[in-house]
Amino acid sequence: MKSSLFIGLLLFLTGCGGLTSTTTTTTPIASVIGAWQITAKSNRQPGFSTLIEGNLQQVTSAAVSTATVSASGADQLVLVGQHPTGGLFFGGLCPGSTTENLTGTLSTFNALSLTLTEGAATYTLTGTVNKTGTSMSGTYAYTAGNCPDSGTFSGVQVPALAGTYAGNLDFNGNVDSATLTLTEGVPSSFTAAITLTGADTTSATLNGLVVGNVFSVQGTLGSQAVNYYGYYAFNEKAIYLVDATSDTPLGTLFVQ
């Protein structure tokens, strides 16, 4: 009789969870390390956007539920202002003497909070990152300085800018046929082999760096010192090349 009572009690406890254990799981923090293009679309100035080109860095600690995300310096962060008519403004739409900087946190629940310093203004970006860490979206708001603005943002990781592009290029007042071969290294080294055919038949390899979809290269082309900016528009599969000294558009080259 005592034995049967003991067995019944044991079954009762087992059925009620008396012998079960509880396991606590933690959602891993997504990794956003890599080259990004984040497009911030203005609500106050419809049609205007800021392209936040970044080589994002991330530090994740196993002891906390958040990771630090950052991008700073010319080899990690470049801002490009985008005009409704298609014009590009390297350096962003809010000029100022303050160095551009992007820093913030990413939590285990994919919640993203970033602070962007752009020239003379500071903005807060609040949103989420997808589980694979390859896209983000949310809203941004002005917090300090000049250029008050607010709007939405969306970002994607971008592939390496490697390949060959061709088109026309304005060089020394002449329009030449141009071929541009881009090679991207690690972490942000970059070369652009350029060949001109026409009034200025010449070739050279220019060196620089790449951040997101933007690159900067310098060197000597046709015995002339040059300093170029380039922006890759992935929707058009085209490179927009600009003289960095005068901010003069030089031409558009399309992927081959």
Side-chain angles (χ1 to χ4, degrees):
M1 184 67 179
K2 289 183 179 180
S3 175
S4 61
L5 287 174
F6 174 78
I7 293 173
L9 179 60
L10 180 60
L11 291 174
F12 175 79
L13 290 174
T14 302
C16 293
L19 298 181
T20 60
S21 61
T22 302
T23 302
T24 301
T25 60
T26 302
T27 304
I29 297 176
S31 174
V32 296
I33 296 173
W36 283 78
Q37 176 170 287
I38 304 169
T39 303
K41 295 183 177 181
S42 174
N43 285 338
R44 293 200 176 197
Q45 300 182 79
F48 284 85
S49 299
T50 296
L51 305 177
I52 306 169
E53 307 291 337
N55 293 340
L56 296 187
Q57 311 298 304
Q58 180 174 331
V59 177
T60 303
S61 172
V64 296
S65 58
T66 59
T68 300
V69 178
S70 65
S72 61
D75 62 340
Q76 292 183 7
L77 184 65
V78 175
L79 302 182
V80 181
Q82 198 169 36
H83 193 275
T85 61
L88 299 175
F89 303 88
F90 287 87
L93 295 169
C94 188
S97 58
T98 305
T99 302
E100 283 79 14
N101 182 64
L102 183 70
T103 184
T105 59
L106 177 63
S107 78
T108 56
F109 299 101
N110 302 320
L112 182 70
S113 178
L114 299 173
T115 298
L116 171 68
T117 300
E118 178 189 355
T122 302
Y123 306 93
T124 298
L125 287 71
T126 305
T128 57
V129 173
N130 70 341
K131 292 181 179 180
T132 57
T134 56
S135 67
M136 62 177 66
S137 62
T139 60
Y140 73 91
Y142 158 85
T143 56
N146 299 330
C147 306
D149 190 22
S150 62
T152 61
F153 73 87
S154 61
V156 293
Q157 285 212 38
V158 296
L161 290 187
T164 300
Y165 303 79
N168 294 324
L169 190 67
D170 189 334
F171 184 69
N172 288 332
N174 303 312
V175 178
D176 297 302
S177 296
T179 299
L180 190 68
T181 300
L182 306 179
T183 304
E184 185 171 337
V186 177
S188 58
S189 62
F190 194 75
T191 61
I194 185 169
T195 298
L196 301 180
T197 304
D200 305 284
T201 299
T202 186
S203 62
T205 297
L206 310 178
N207 299 293
L209 56 85
V210 59
V211 181
N213 279 330
V214 172
F215 63 86
S216 172
V217 290
Q218 303 80 36
T220 302
L221 180 62
S223 73
Q224 178 179 323
V226 296
N227 184 4
Y228 292 158
Y229 286 142
Y231 168 69
Y232 175 64
F234 52 79
N235 290 335
E236 303 172 48
K237 299 186 183 303
I239 294 286
Y240 290 89
L241 209 60
V242 175
D243 187 314
T245 303
S246 61
D247 284 332
T248 303
L250 299 176
T252 305
L253 302 108
F254 297 88
V255 68
Q256 299 300 291

